[in-house]
Amino acid sequence: MAETATQVIQAAEHAVEHAAEKVLTAPEYILEHLQNLNSIGGKQASIVDFSVINWDTMFWSVLCGLIAVGLLYIVARRATSGVPGRLQASIEMVAELVEDQSKSIVHGDRTFVAPLALTVFMWIIVMNTVDLIPVDWVYGINHLLDVFHLHLPHHRAVATADLNGTLGMSASVLVLMVYYSFKIKGAGGFVHELLSAPFGAKWYLAPFNLLLNLIEFLAKTISLGMRLFGNMYAGELIFLLIALLGSIWTFEVDLGILGFVCNVVAGTMWAIFHILVILLQAFIFMMLTLVYIGQAHDHH
């Protein structure tokens, strides 16, 4: 035990020495924190590249999904008919909100849709909440992992701040849209809708109708993923900029104390405001998922 403690202390000292040797500039600091741990070991070359796997996004999205589902499962198992506890009351309020929204939007069988919307809502809340973890926690813990011969060259904990993660979620919504379109309208009805809406069922308008419908499906998918990514990515950048206030100095005067105060005050204020962003973005994604699936249930 004493030997392990000594190793940890030595690793911490090594981290301090390493930080003193290499001082990152502000742009380098930001770029360092925006780099994913991926299968190529570097930056992703293009927006669409299926050969690259961001392992940190995969890990945190799966972990947050398990946490969200596990929380719902625990509350459901421990639910009582009497006076509910705070956690049960909170989950019941969220479930009732999602149920009311799905009832007003989706006109049909909601056996799968309502639980799906609730799961998506809770899942995104958990993933977004990870953004409240201090931005430098990975950079510091990497040197402590050297004791166990482990090292993460790059790591981003916020899966929703990675465009690959949000577009993957929106692509899943696209699959559900197409699935329910076939299920509710049948293959013939869905194809007829693609060829006849919005300009009418004239044969010479069919190519234009098909093109517009395909563009609509693509636009819904991209905008759904981009909206969540853009807001969370911007929030992450602001946290990084606030973290840089801790080392502020100017006019050859050490203003470290001022930087610390600005960091704490600004960081606290932004974290409180960011809670609203976390909940709002989860709600918007959930609502648009219901809207798109509800449109798949409607006949034109």
Side-chain angles (χ1 to χ4, degrees):
M1 181 68 69
E3 183 179 355
T4 303
T6 303
Q7 291 177 338
V8 172
I9 294 174
Q10 291 175 350
E13 293 175 349
H14 174 71
V16 173
E17 294 175 358
H18 180 77
E21 293 174 359
K22 183 180 179 181
V23 178
L24 298 177
T25 63
E28 290 174 342
Y29 173 83
I30 293 176
L31 291 176
E32 174 70 20
H33 284 76
L34 296 180
Q35 180 64 44
N36 286 99
L37 176 66
N38 52 46
S39 56
I40 62 175
K43 296 181 179 179
Q44 186 172 329
S46 59
I47 296 179
V48 180
D49 190 350
F50 293 103
S51 64
V52 179
I53 300 176
N54 290 341
W55 296 110
D56 42 12
T57 300
M58 294 286 292
F59 171 80
W60 283 101
S61 59
V62 172
L63 177 62
C64 292
L66 293 175
I67 292 175
V69 173
L71 179 63
L72 294 174
Y73 176 78
I74 291 174
V75 172
R77 288 292 302 270
R78 297 181 178 180
T80 60
S81 57
V83 179
R86 294 180 180 179
L87 180 59
Q88 180 182 337
S90 301
I91 297 299
E92 287 180 352
M93 290 175 60
V94 173
E96 184 177 354
L97 170 66
V98 174
E99 175 66 18
D100 292 339
Q101 296 298 329
S102 64
K103 187 183 300 183
S104 62
I105 295 174
V106 181
H107 306 292
D109 185 11
R110 295 176 292 104
T111 305
F112 175 77
V113 176
L116 168 69
L118 177 61
T119 303
V120 167
F121 187 49
M122 295 297 298
W123 185 23
I124 296 179
I125 286 178
V126 177
M127 286 193 292
N128 290 351
T129 305
V130 176
D131 202 16
L132 298 179
I133 298 176
V135 295
D136 288 321
W137 73 279
V138 175
Y139 187 79
I141 204 172
N142 272 347
H143 300 289
L144 296 179
L145 290 176
D146 289 339
V147 177
F148 307 100
H149 305 288
L150 298 174
H151 183 69
L152 300 177
H154 302 288
H155 190 84
R156 292 180 67 186
V158 187
T160 48
D162 181 8
L163 184 58
N164 299 280
T166 57
L167 286 182
M169 296 175 64
S170 62
S172 301
V173 177
L174 173 63
V175 172
L176 289 173
M177 290 166 55
V178 175
Y179 167 76
Y180 276 105
S181 295
F182 274 105
K183 180 180 179 180
I184 303 299
K185 304 165 187 175
F190 182 45
V191 172
H192 179 267
E193 181 179 285
L194 291 176
L195 298 177
S196 61
F199 295 131
K202 304 294 184 180
W203 64 269
Y204 54 84
L205 295 175
F208 301 99
N209 291 327
L210 178 61
L211 179 61
L212 285 177
N213 281 294
L214 293 179
I215 292 175
E216 180 184 0
F217 277 111
L218 183 62
K220 288 178 178 178
T221 304
I222 294 178
S223 63
L224 183 63
M226 288 289 291
R227 182 181 293 104
L228 178 59
F229 158 75
N231 284 277
M232 297 309 300
Y233 185 82
E236 189 178 21
L237 279 178
I238 294 177
F239 274 122
L240 292 174
L241 293 175
I242 292 174
L244 288 173
L245 290 176
S247 59
I248 187 174
W249 66 274
T250 184
F251 299 117
E252 299 181 356
V253 178
D254 185 7
L255 299 178
I257 300 299
L258 177 61
F260 173 77
V261 173
C262 292
N263 185 299
V264 172
V265 174
T268 302
M269 293 178 62
W270 177 245
I272 295 173
F273 176 77
H274 201 60
I275 295 174
L276 176 62
V277 177
I278 289 171
L279 298 175
L280 182 61
Q281 291 306 312
F283 180 76
I284 291 174
F285 196 99
M286 180 270 293
M287 285 294 296
L288 289 177
T289 300
L290 287 175
V291 169
Y292 294 157
I293 294 178
Q295 290 176 347
H297 282 70
D298 296 334
H299 293 272
H300 293 282

